[in-house]
Structure formats: C-alpha cells, structure tokens
Amino acid sequence: MSLPEPLQQLISLLKRFPGVGEKSARRMAFFIIQQPDAYSEELASLLKGLKERLHECPLCGNITDVDPCSICTDPLRERRLLCVVESPEDLLSMEQAGIYNGLYYILRGRVSPLDGEDLSSTEVEHLRQRILETEAKEVIIATNPRVEGDLTFYSLLSEIDDLHVKISRLAYGLPVGGSIEFADRITLHAAFESRIEVKKNMRK
C-alpha cells in the first residue's frame, strides 16, 4: 500500500530525527494527522517561529531566547570555573544532574578525521577569549569519552596550554564510547569529583 505523498513527506522528515526509524516516524506521522486542527496549527506555528526565537548565546554558545543566556547572567554562578562541552545537550545533562555551578563554553565543532571535522581557528580563539574574559581559575574539558572526544581534548589542550589556568578533564567514570548526554547523575558526579588535572593553575 502506497501512502499519500504529503504523509510520506512527513514521515521522511521525522526519520531525520536522531534515533527515529521508519516505524517510529510512521507512528508519529499518523498521530499528528489524527489530532484536532488546533494541535496541528499550534505545532506548525511553533516550528515556523522556532529558528527566529532561538539562537546561540554570544558568550557560551548555549541555545537561548535572551542575550546573554540565563546561565551566563546568573550572579550565583562560580564565575571563574569554566566547563567546556561538545553540545547544548551535554550542558543540559550537567544542569539536570545539579553537580556543577560554574559557567560553560559549548564547542561549535569537534575533531573527527574520519568525518573530515576539525576545530576552526575562530572557535579556538573564541574559547581563549572566554577563558581570559572570565579570568578562569580552572577549565574543565568535558568532551565525550570516545575517540573523537579524546582527539578534541588533546587539540584543545595544545591550544590553551599557554594560558595561566588550571586545566582538567572528566575522569573515566563515564563509559568509554558513551555520551555525557545519557549519563546518570551519580556517574556524572563521580566523573566531576575525580576529574584529572592536566595542567596546574598559574594565575595568582
């Protein structure tokens, strides 16, 4: 049985979501078309305006609808502690775990030779500037525990090693090959508490 073209197009778009296969996309598509018109209109309106209302925080790169984001402007944050993560999802996992109260920097890229990806010089300069502006006493590099994360970590280490700041990374309480995004609170807490110092603080 062939599906109507509009329905097939919707299924194709939904399949592009991470972790969504043919069957899941089909279920979601049928759910959407079976909802009242008000639901479809609200969903369409939200999706249409999403890119216009959301953008990257100019300071840390987090997804936000205000400038700067609520984390960067929070006066109760430890402003001389900077955690470098790979994605907004990783930041959200840290926040939900409630184990960290410093500032963040989200990388706009990673080092992955097989995918032809690398950190741009502009991105590295943004990070260096963020470290200097916050007068960070410690930079925690929280890349994911897999090959790409290790390559990204060593690339960052070589780029910021000349700065007068303590540098550490999360310990391997995190499963190798896993993602911070899917780590539970206890695992994240253990990784933070046993983070490895890779460079002593030289700032007075």
Side-chain angles (χ1 to χ4, degrees):
M1 169 183 169
S2 84
L3 298 172
E5 183 61 26
L7 183 57
Q8 188 58 59
Q9 288 179 346
L10 177 58
I11 293 172
S12 296
L13 287 173
L14 292 172
K15 280 170 58 179
R16 293 164 70 175
F17 280 73
V20 176
E22 178 74 30
K23 289 185 178 179
S24 296
R26 195 162 53 220
R27 286 179 60 196
M28 287 189 284
F30 276 106
F31 172 82
I32 291 172
I33 64 173
Q34 290 170 8
Q35 299 308 299
D37 290 345
Y39 176 88
S40 300
E41 291 168 3
E42 182 179 1
L43 179 61
S45 176
L46 177 63
L47 291 175
K48 184 177 180 181
L50 206 56
K51 294 286 255 182
E52 297 174 1
R53 295 170 57 189
L54 298 178
H55 54 273
E56 290 184 350
C57 172
L59 299 181
C60 72
N62 189 23
I63 302 299
T64 181
D65 59 349
V66 293
D67 281 335
C69 73
S70 59
I71 293 177
C72 288
T73 56
D74 186 350
L76 299 180
R77 291 268 169 176
E78 171 50 69
R79 310 200 68 79
R80 297 189 65 192
L81 196 58
L82 187 66
C83 183
V84 181
V85 294
E86 293 184 32
S87 69
E89 292 91 341
D90 290 343
L91 182 154
L92 181 60
S93 295
M94 300 286 193
E95 288 299 290
Q96 289 180 334
I99 57 172
Y100 176 73
N101 193 44
L103 300 177
Y104 292 93
Y105 186 83
I106 298 174
L107 294 172
R108 298 169 182 84
R110 63 173 185 167
V111 178
S112 179
L114 291 178
D115 298 319
E117 299 179 33
D118 201 353
L119 294 174
S120 68
S121 57
T122 301
E123 185 60 29
V124 171
E125 186 54 40
H126 281 166
L127 174 57
R128 289 176 61 89
Q129 193 63 33
R130 179 71 165 155
I131 294 171
L132 294 173
E133 287 175 351
T134 59
E135 297 184 339
K137 62 182 180 181
E138 181 180 0
V139 175
I140 304 167
I141 302 178
T143 51
N144 285 299
R146 48 178 177 247
V147 173
E148 295 83 1
D150 283 344
L151 291 174
T152 302
F153 164 74
Y154 287 113
S155 177
L156 289 176
L157 183 61
S158 67
E159 295 289 353
I160 65 174
D161 187 56
D162 62 311
L163 299 180
H164 295 175
V165 61
K166 175 182 175 182
I167 302 172
S168 60
R169 72 177 304 190
L170 297 191
Y172 279 99
L174 294 170
V176 176
S179 295
I180 289 174
E181 177 185 354
F182 299 113
D184 59 78
R185 182 183 184 280
I186 295 175
T187 300
L188 278 175
H189 185 270
F192 255 99
E193 289 301 309
S194 56
R195 62 182 180 268
I196 303 165
E197 182 178 304
V198 294
K199 179 176 179 289
K200 291 186 179 295
N201 185 16
M202 298 172 61
R203 189 189 299 279
K204 295 183 179 180

